[in-house]
Amino acid sequence: MSIYPNISDFLLDNEPSIGSPAIIYDYNSIVSTVSKIRNDIKIIPNVELCFAIKANRNKIVLKLLSDLGLGADVASIHEFEIVEEIGMNPVYSTSPAYNEKFLEKLLERNILPDFNSFSQLKKYVEEYNLNEVGVRVKVPLKNIHPDITYGEQSRFGINIDSDEFIQFINNKKLKIKQLHFHLGELQNSSIIKEAMEYIYSLSYKFQDLEVINIGGGLTYLYSDEIEVKKSWEIVKEYVLQINRQLNREVKIVVEPGMLILAMSGYLYSKVQSSDLSINKRIITVDCSAWNLTYWAYPYLVHSYSDSMNTTEEEHVIFGNTCYEKDVFISSVRHKPLKINDGLLMNPVGAYVNSMARNMHGYHLPDEWILKDSTFIKAGN
Ligand SMILES: Cc1ncc(COP(=O)(O)O)c(C=O)c1O
């Protein structure tokens, strides 16, 4: 599928001349992924591509995304401070746990928070005398997919249709400027259709609407090119209807995290031990799946092994903690890996360093950007 970048020839031919463990971001594949997404969504009028910072806080990587013109979605003051330092623009925000410090920073910069719960919204509207806000919407999905946990049962979003909510905003003369939804991993175009249909119905009730943020969760969807095309067509059609209804153009924000970076990141690690067990080879590498890849399910995409023995064996690749289930890859056939062989695993560009644990006090892997054939240090 065209969004999934190919591993660069340089990485295939040359073992990285950097220490291990390390995360390597492939510059060209980030650029091509962004360009592919942009090309897909450009049929939607007034659309803005942002990056969900929760997926990756590496400043050098974010600077690259900023240079490509991406805005940001932030969920904490820490993410916001990084985005400010880099100058990413525009910035959108929704968070289950705003506090005064974060909120004041957003308001200072004229960024409207998209409140995640009614109690949160009420508290801050009253505290700061707000007369306009954004809302993360709880979308009442009917055709809920078993894997989607983000419909009516979700803890995220406000039941914006409730009498209580409508009464509150009428009493306060509150303007709803932004509607934001994020439905976890979008499984197919019919989920998007249901969500957009709902947002369209809301556009009659909230006439001050300026921004519709459709969140992220596009990675699964992008495994099916036809569903991708269908989905963006659906979004476009509803946006046109909303614009007609409001008699002006709203802004549409798309803010994936995983889709933009996951596939462009490679974990470079070295084998620390290699032992033949009953019918498989037990490999331990120099970093931890438990610490790093809780959300990423890595594949072994390449190894740098000079072993002459080409008879494949069953391998299990474990991380370097004492936790029994610290497994990167539970089954892969490969020529026998030996101590000090280098391995490349993918996809680790998103939700790896940004949500790492640190069992045994292991540090995060160093991060590098590979641009053509040059490694540029991207923090550690
Ligand atoms: C509001 C919001 N937007 C965007 C994202 C990014 O999702 P993904 O990385 O799956 O694209 C998330 C992820 O949790 C989110 O909560």
Side-chain angles (χ1 to χ4, degrees), residues 44-280:
I44 302 164
N46 203 9
V47 70
E48 179 96 50
L49 182 61
C50 292
F51 175 70
I53 305 296
K54 52 182 75 69
N56 194 312
R57 295 188 299 276
N58 184 292
K59 291 182 191 172
I60 312 284
V61 174
L62 293 181
K63 177 75 175 69
L64 161 59
L65 295 180
S66 179
D67 289 347
L68 293 172
L70 269 72
D73 157 65
V74 297
S76 73
I77 190 166
H78 314 288
E79 292 178 358
F80 183 55
E81 281 168 353
I82 293 172
V83 156
E84 281 232 296
E85 186 184 328
I86 287 155
M88 287 179 96
N89 188 45
V91 179
Y92 296 92
S93 172
T94 184
S95 168
Y98 283 117
N99 57 28
E100 275 78 5
K101 212 169 155 198
F102 183 19
L103 213 69
E104 282 167 22
K105 280 210 163 207
L106 291 175
L107 297 174
E108 244 171 58
R109 305 289 189 279
N110 292 322
I111 297 165
L112 273 193
D114 294 336
F115 288 111
N116 176 67
S117 74
F118 191 19
S119 64
Q120 186 190 56
L121 177 139
K122 271 203 285 206
K123 171 178 156 64
Y124 291 115
V125 162
E126 278 161 8
E127 202 170 315
Y128 293 100
N129 240 330
L130 303 177
N131 51 30
E132 45 189 49
V133 293
V135 170
R136 176 160 173 179
V137 178
K138 197 189 292 283
V139 179
L141 292 172
K142 280 177 243 85
N143 304 317
I144 194 144
H145 188 284
D147 290 346
I148 289 198
T149 51
Y150 284 73
E152 231 157 4
Q153 305 299 321
S154 171
R155 75 182 171 101
F156 299 114
I158 294 178
N159 187 355
I160 195 170
D161 257 347
S162 70
D163 293 343
E164 203 192 355
F165 183 78
I166 302 283
Q167 205 174 16
F168 179 80
I169 64 157
N170 287 342
N171 283 346
K172 295 278 177 197
K173 298 195 176 20
L174 202 57
K175 291 183 177 165
I176 307 295
K177 294 271 188 165
Q178 299 182 163
L179 294 179
H180 195 152
F181 68 87
H182 171 77
L183 301 174
E185 206 55 49
L186 289 165
Q187 301 289 330
N188 53 51
S189 57
S190 65
I191 308 271
I192 295 184
K193 187 168 188 320
E194 237 185 292
M196 288 306 295
E197 174 87 45
Y198 182 60
I199 299 292
Y200 173 52
S201 76
L202 295 180
S203 73
Y204 283 89
K205 298 184 184 167
F206 303 103
Q207 292 279 323
D208 300 302
L209 189 57
E210 287 177 1
V211 177
I212 297 170
N213 187 327
I214 71 169
L218 302 168
T219 314
Y220 182 88
L221 187 75
Y222 263 80
S223 60
D224 185 337
E225 190 92 53
I226 293 169
E227 282 298 292
V228 169
K229 252 188 151 4
K230 249 168 122 176
S231 301
W232 296 130
E233 278 295 334
I234 287 166
V235 174
K236 178 189 95 181
E237 288 308 322
Y238 277 104
V239 170
L240 290 174
Q241 287 191 54
I242 291 167
N243 286 347
R244 270 198 297 274
Q245 194 284 112
L246 293 171
N247 203 19
R248 59 192 160 77
E249 220 174 48
V250 291
K251 172 174 266 195
I252 306 303
V253 178
V254 183
E255 49 172 33
M258 177 98 73
L259 181 68
I260 290 178
L261 284 186
M263 296 298 294
S264 300
Y266 297 88
L267 181 62
Y268 172 58
S269 63
K270 288 219 174 216
V271 173
Q272 301 292 293
S273 67
S274 169
D275 298 277
L276 206 49
S277 181
I278 300 159
N279 50 9
K280 58 193 171 200

